[in-house]
Amino acid sequence: MVDSPSKRSADAADSATRPRGRHSARAAGLVVSLGVLLLICVASIVVGAKPVPLADVWHGLFHYSGTGNDVLIQDLRVPRTLLGLLVGIALGLSGAVMQALTRNPLAEPGLMGVNAGASAAVVTAISFLGVTSLSGYVWFALLGAAVVSVVVYVLGGSRAATPVRLALAGTAATAALYGYVNAVQLLDAVALDRLRFWIVGSLSHADMTTIRSVAPFLAVGVVLALLIARPLNAMEMGDDTARALGANLNRTRLLGMVAVTLLCGAATAACGPIVFVGLMVPYLVRALTGPDLRWILPYSAGLSPVLLLGSDVLGRLLVRPSELQVGIVTAFIGGPVFIHLVRRKRMAQL
């Protein structure tokens, strides 16, 4: 039976409206994600180990007069929230970019050794070179992240790199570097005291000086990550297909690794190594948005701070009046998720 012209026109109109419907749904979901992020930011300012009445929170934000609660809100919780926002964006974007570069859904800066490289460089700077300021050791964090990124890529087989090789190389590098970090801490009591909160990942020492020190690096990393979304889409279909589509593979890989280095190095320098955020959020976002990096990257940038700040708030509430560092909370959340991912049949076949 031959379809009538009216039916063919209706089918064509329906197929044309479906992409627009998906686009609208993704855009609406992104708006909802930003709304959730705003609520989490408010909760991060309002909720803490010390209860503060809402009237005092409002006073501290808009009518600062130097009282105890004003100082708590303006000088402690606001910088902590801002740093958590920036670090969450950095971890989410770097995780999404690394998963696209390696075509490995298990890739994440913490699992690929990047955070360990930054940590080892910072420990070296503090213990052996006497560097004490964030503005000084942020450069060491960036250098350490860059060196380990290159080493893992080379050990993983360079041009013949596979997800399994990269994961093994990253795991080996992480184990070796954290062994070095632990050895230095045990041998240097000053370094141990200075790093005991930083090494597990913490937002508790955030201040505006820290934010101003890392913000330029994070801004450049965010811009680079967003700019390479289109060629990353092509690379996910394979190198031959990407070349046929006009993507410059070497330039895209270089810009991607520079973005990951800037984002992870600055984030690690600011608050220590925080794992699993860059793995969980991009993976879950991909299930919601599909494989298009032009949507995965904005969603990851919006939802990763939700996970990070939410974990930080949870850590303040679980052991009141003390605090549980955010890196510990994300590890407790991320561990079972990671086990679930690697047990999936599709993961086992990589």
Side-chain angles (χ1 to χ4, degrees):
M1 177 182 289
V2 178
D3 291 337
S4 65
S6 60
K7 187 177 187 303
R8 289 197 298 270
S9 299
D11 291 341
D14 182 60
S15 62
T17 57
R18 276 197 292 267
R20 288 198 295 270
R22 286 196 297 267
H23 181 87
S24 299
R26 290 167 176 168
L30 187 57
V31 171
V32 172
S33 301
L34 295 177
V36 174
L37 176 58
L38 178 61
L39 292 176
I40 290 292
C41 288
V42 172
S44 179
I45 295 173
V46 173
V47 180
K50 176 186 176 182
V52 179
L54 287 177
D56 288 0
V57 173
W58 182 268
H59 189 275
L61 288 173
F62 301 106
H63 306 285
Y64 184 87
S65 60
T67 64
N69 283 340
D70 285 358
V71 172
L72 175 64
I73 297 299
Q74 192 75 261
D75 298 341
L76 297 178
R77 289 190 185 173
V78 169
R80 184 171 185 160
T81 301
L82 290 176
L83 184 62
L85 176 65
L86 293 177
V87 170
I89 292 172
L91 295 177
L93 285 177
S94 60
V97 170
M98 186 162 281
Q99 289 175 11
L101 284 174
T102 61
R103 295 196 290 275
N104 178 4
L106 297 181
E108 190 257 355
L111 299 174
M112 303 299 286
V114 179
N115 287 347
S119 300
V122 170
V123 168
T124 300
I126 292 175
S127 185
F128 298 112
L129 303 178
V131 179
T132 58
S133 66
L134 175 65
S135 59
Y137 63 68
V138 66
W139 296 101
F140 288 90
L142 293 172
L143 178 62
V147 170
V148 173
S149 297
V150 174
V151 170
V152 168
Y153 188 67
V154 172
L155 291 177
S158 189
R159 291 180 180 273
T162 65
V164 172
R165 287 179 178 177
L166 288 171
L168 291 175
T171 300
T174 298
L177 290 169
Y178 277 133
Y180 165 77
V181 169
N182 291 332
V184 171
Q185 287 183 285
L186 290 175
L187 295 173
D188 189 340
V190 175
L192 175 61
D193 185 63
R194 191 174 295 158
L195 292 168
R196 59 196 176 97
F197 289 113
W198 179 88
I199 201 66
V200 297
S202 174
L203 299 173
S204 59
H205 297 292
D207 54 35
M208 295 308 298
T209 300
T210 300
I211 293 172
R212 284 191 291 267
S213 297
V214 301
F217 302 102
L218 296 178
V220 175
V222 168
V223 171
L224 286 177
L226 295 177
L227 285 177
I228 61 174
R230 189 179 294 274
L232 283 177
N233 275 339
M235 287 181 60
E236 286 202 315
M237 294 184 286
D239 289 358
D240 293 336
T241 303
R243 290 190 189 95
L245 293 173
N248 187 321
L249 301 186
N250 291 331
R251 183 177 63 189
T252 301
R253 288 194 178 103
L254 176 61
L255 292 177
M257 292 312 299
V258 169
V260 169
T261 298
L262 289 172
L263 293 169
C264 290
T268 303
C271 59
I274 297 176
V275 296
F276 289 123
V277 174
L279 167 66
M280 289 186 289
V281 176
Y283 183 87
L284 296 175
V285 163
R286 187 179 293 270
L288 294 174
T289 66
D292 192 343
L293 269 296
R294 292 173 297 179
W295 287 103
I296 291 175
L297 292 175
Y299 264 89
S300 297
L303 291 177
S304 292
V306 171
L307 174 60
L308 186 63
L309 288 173
S311 298
D312 188 45
V313 171
L314 185 62
R316 299 182 222 173
L317 297 177
L318 287 176
V319 291
R320 273 183 171 180
S322 185
E323 292 185 9
L324 197 61
Q325 305 305 316
V326 64
I328 299 174
V329 179
T330 59
F332 271 113
I333 296 173
V337 173
F338 181 70
I339 292 172
H340 169 70
L341 295 182
V342 298
R343 285 178 60 86
R344 288 172 62 95
K345 182 178 180 180
R346 187 172 60 181
M347 299 297 106
Q349 293 173 346
L350 286 177

